Amino acid sequence: MNSRLFCFAGGKQGSWSVVKMAPVLGESLPEVARVDILNEDGPVEDAAWVLRGVTSNERYVTRGERNALVERQAAIGRPAITHAAIIPIRKNAQWWAMTQDERRAVFEDQSRHVKDSLKYLPAIARRLHHCRDLGGDEPFDFVTLFEYAAADSSAFEELVAMLRSTPEWKFVDREMDIRLVRDVYS
Amino acid sequence: MNSRLFCFAGGKQGSWSVVKMAPVLGESLPEVARVDILNEDGPVEDAAWVLRGVTSNERYVTRGERNALVERQAAIGRPAITHAAIIPIRKNAQWWAMTQDERRAVFEDQSRHVKDSLKYLPAIARRLHHCRDLGGDEPFDFVTLFEYAAADSSAFEELVAMLRSTPEWKFVDREMDIRLVRDVYS
């Protein structure tokens, strides 16, 4: 199996408890009690929904931006972290019809996606999963997983509000916001 | 099913006869007599190998380049066309570790991938399929399908030789070259 493939299964099991599930735009997903995040494919028993995605090469960042990100960012999976968010989005046909230079202009020149996100690192860790080219009829184009400490919850609210206010987000036509917590035993 | 998904099945059936199969770089694929090209997924009976890929948004071309391509290009599937080639390639880890601006610089500034291909249009039609983010363990990153008339065979040889001589091709670590013909009844 492709080690870049991740599976987000909503249902009655999994190490994350759902504290909030809300459609931001477009059709919602069924409410669930727990979410399991697996680094594999395969059927998930009793799941109300399953989102799949692969981590991949970055599509927009330049070398300078990558270096700035790598210098600051934390990896997903820090053991003491208790809070997470799963934000699946789909972009509209107009976005996908744009050429690379046009999408890059919206992503960074107009929306400052990287530049304005940098100050939230390393407190907020992020992993982007691509769904659009999996070959199936996926309900979303991307699933982003965020992890942060309870103390950084308000910084996270600020980050998502900032992203949703950008020109890039005018091309988003479906979005869910799923907030998770887990128990950490020290 | 995702209508952007295509399947290339090598075996004993299919509308295309194999006239040549050769590994250009790296491990070969088993020799077959025929190839079927399907706009769907699913198991293919008695296939010796199956390559899958999705058409997707372009990753490098600018608006100016797209306009120049669209103005000239022919679509895959012209009914009178008798010759085709399937060229699956895989790019190495160094390619995928580069940032977008670095890959674009190799693709066009150094290799003139679009600029030097334009003169072969519309005689040679091309469709690119992405395999890398399908979520499975795909043997190649891309499968490109080319179609051309018998009279344009030498132009096609020139095009593939030109591409293989570019700096971009230094990042290719596996490549097959599969040439096909079919009967066309007028």
Side-chain angles (χ1 to χ4, degrees):
Chain A
M1 248 307 128
N2 186 327
S3 61
R4 296 187 285 111
L5 182 66
F6 291 84
C7 177
F8 302 82
K12 291 174 189 161
Q13 40 190 307
S15 48
W16 294 94
S17 297
V18 175
V19 289
K20 197 190 87 173
M21 269 189 76
V24 179
L25 193 63
E27 198 189 343
S28 192
L29 288 173
E31 295 267 346
V32 293
R34 301 189 78 84
V35 171
D36 214 357
I37 303 176
L38 305 161
N39 190 0
E40 60 189 63
D41 199 6
V44 179
E45 265 182 57
D46 299 325
W49 46 260
V50 178
L51 304 177
R52 300 159 67 238
V54 287
T55 58
S56 187
N57 59 297
E58 294 143 358
R59 307 294 157 87
Y60 301 109
V61 303
T62 61
R63 172 54 59 188
E65 290 161 357
R66 160 93 65 88
N67 290 348
L69 287 165
V70 167
E71 193 178 292
R72 284 179 181 77
Q73 75 197 0
I76 286 288
R78 288 172 288 179
I81 285 290
T82 52
H83 284 52
I86 296 172
I87 304 197
I89 67 166
R90 188 177 67 195
K91 282 177 169 170
N92 65 18
Q94 194 192 343
W95 174 264
W96 295 112
M98 288 197 291
T99 53
Q100 179 67 29
D101 54 333
E102 291 168 339
R103 280 180 279 108
R104 162 72 195 185
V106 175
F107 177 87
E108 192 61 23
D109 307 345
Q110 297 172 30
S111 302
R112 303 166 51 100
H113 190 128
V114 175
K115 197 170 295 170
D116 287 348
S117 296
L118 275 173
K119 70 169 172 170
Y120 300 98
L121 276 51
I124 297 164
R126 167 188 173 277
R127 192 171 67 210
L128 175 65
H129 310 80
H130 297 254
C131 326
R132 181 174 156 83
D133 287 345
L134 281 175
D137 274 327
E138 305 300 327
F140 296 94
D141 291 334
F142 305 98
V143 176
T144 310
L145 170 64
F146 298 91
E147 286 181 0
Y148 49 96
D152 293 309
S153 297
S154 64
F156 182 69
E157 298 304 331
E158 198 180 290
L159 169 62
V160 293
M162 179 274 284
L163 286 169
R164 286 177 185 146
S165 73
T166 59
E168 184 189 350
W169 243 252
K170 294 193 171 48
F171 296 92
V172 172
D173 69 3
R174 187 176 179 191
E175 179 174 6
M176 280 294 297
D177 191 328
I178 304 166
R179 301 300 176 88
L180 309 167
V181 294
R182 67 173 169 188
D183 297 326
V184 172
Y185 304 100
S186 59
Chain B
M1 247 306 130
N2 187 327
S3 61
R4 296 187 285 110
L5 182 67
F6 291 84
C7 177
F8 302 82
K12 293 173 187 160
Q13 42 191 309
S15 48
W16 294 94
S17 296
V18 175
V19 290
K20 198 189 86 175
M21 269 190 75
V24 179
L25 194 62
E27 197 189 341
S28 192
L29 288 174
E31 294 267 348
V32 293
R34 302 188 77 84
V35 171
D36 214 357
I37 303 176
L38 306 161
N39 190 0
E40 60 190 65
D41 200 6
V44 178
E45 265 183 57
D46 300 325
W49 45 260
V50 178
L51 305 177
R52 300 159 70 239
V54 287
T55 58
S56 188
N57 58 298
E58 296 142 357
R59 307 295 158 88
Y60 302 110
V61 304
T62 61
R63 172 55 57 188
E65 290 162 357
R66 161 94 65 87
N67 290 347
L69 288 165
V70 167
E71 195 178 289
R72 285 177 179 77
Q73 75 197 1
I76 286 289
R78 287 171 290 179
I81 286 291
T82 53
H83 284 52
I86 295 171
I87 305 197
I89 67 167
R90 187 178 65 195
K91 283 178 169 169
N92 65 18
Q94 195 192 344
W95 174 264
W96 295 113
M98 288 198 289
T99 53
Q100 178 67 29
D101 54 332
E102 290 168 339
R103 281 181 276 108
R104 161 73 196 185
V106 174
F107 176 88
E108 192 61 25
D109 307 344
Q110 298 172 29
S111 303
R112 303 168 50 102
H113 191 128
V114 175
K115 198 169 293 169
D116 288 347
S117 297
L118 274 173
K119 70 168 172 171
Y120 300 99
L121 277 48
I124 297 163
R126 166 189 173 279
R127 193 172 65 210
L128 175 65
H129 310 79
H130 297 253
C131 327
R132 181 173 156 83
D133 287 344
L134 281 175
D137 275 328
E138 306 300 326
F140 296 95
D141 290 335
F142 304 98
V143 176
T144 309
L145 170 65
F146 298 92
E147 286 182 0
Y148 50 95
D152 294 310
S153 297
S154 64
F156 182 70
E157 297 306 330
E158 199 180 290
L159 170 62
V160 293
M162 179 274 286
L163 286 168
R164 285 177 185 145
S165 73
T166 60
E168 184 190 349
W169 243 252
K170 295 193 168 52
F171 296 91
V172 171
D173 69 3
R174 186 176 180 191
E175 179 174 7
M176 281 294 297
D177 192 328
I178 305 165
R179 301 302 176 90
L180 308 168
V181 294
R182 67 172 170 187
D183 296 327
V184 170
Y185 305 100
S186 57

